[in-house]
Amino acid sequence: MGDTKGFVDNVGIEVSGEQAILHTGPEHENSSGGIQGGLIATLLDIAMGRKTRAAFGQDATIVTLQLSVTYLNAAKPGDVLTARAELGKKGTSVAMLRADVVDAEGTEIAHGVGTFMVKGD
């Protein structure tokens, strides 16, 4: 793959530890002037996936089985959004998590719940 950038890099998401951070700009704006909802869902998915990987080991291949998002407040270009996840339940190959996206002032933007699986060889 060489120098190719992945999806996360292309949309501008930074991964720091087990959290996902996005410095939003006009390129993330939807037709209503807010931040596109799918991008907010992506932040949740990344944070939960990282938390799952931490629970099962850094070499684990994690697959999202289910993701549900509740949007609580609008985010706008210029906001810095951070997603953090918590492990709810961990089985032998499946985990259930919850995560929140907040802006720099601590305003809740979205809440998500997800089910993730460790993919076998």
Side-chain angles (χ1 to χ4, degrees), residues 70-99:
T70 302
Y71 297 94
L72 304 169
N73 288 291
K76 60 190 179 316
D79 287 346
V80 177
L81 304 178
T82 302
R84 293 181 186 90
E86 295 180 21
L87 186 62
K89 182 172 178 149
K90 178 183 178 252
T92 57
S93 63
V94 176
M96 298 172 68
L97 295 97
R98 59 189 160 275

Side-chain angles (χ1 to χ4, degrees), residues 16 18-21 43-44 46-48 51 81-87 97-104 106 110-112:
S16 176
E18 296 172 9
Q19 59 185 12
I21 303 164
L43 283 171
L44 292 164
I46 291 168
M48 287 189 271
K51 189 72 167 181
L81 304 178
T82 302
R84 293 181 186 90
E86 295 180 21
L87 186 62
L97 295 97
R98 59 189 160 275
D100 293 294
V101 173
V102 298
D103 67 14
H111 176 75

Side-chain angles (χ1 to χ4, degrees), residues 12-76:
I13 296 172
E14 302 169 29
V15 178
S16 176
E18 296 172 9
Q19 59 185 12
I21 303 164
L22 178 65
H23 296 263
T24 65
E27 67 275 19
H28 304 115
E29 193 172 339
N30 64 24
S31 61
S32 300
I35 299 305
Q36 206 277 335
L39 188 53
I40 293 169
T42 298
L43 283 171
L44 292 164
D45 185 58
I46 291 168
M48 287 189 271
R50 294 291 294 221
K51 189 72 167 181
T52 303
R53 183 170 284 117
F56 284 95
Q58 292 303 318
D59 293 332
T61 299
I62 305 301
V63 178
T64 306
L65 296 176
Q66 179 274 334
L67 178 66
S68 177
V69 180
T70 302
Y71 297 94
L72 304 169
N73 288 291
K76 60 190 179 316

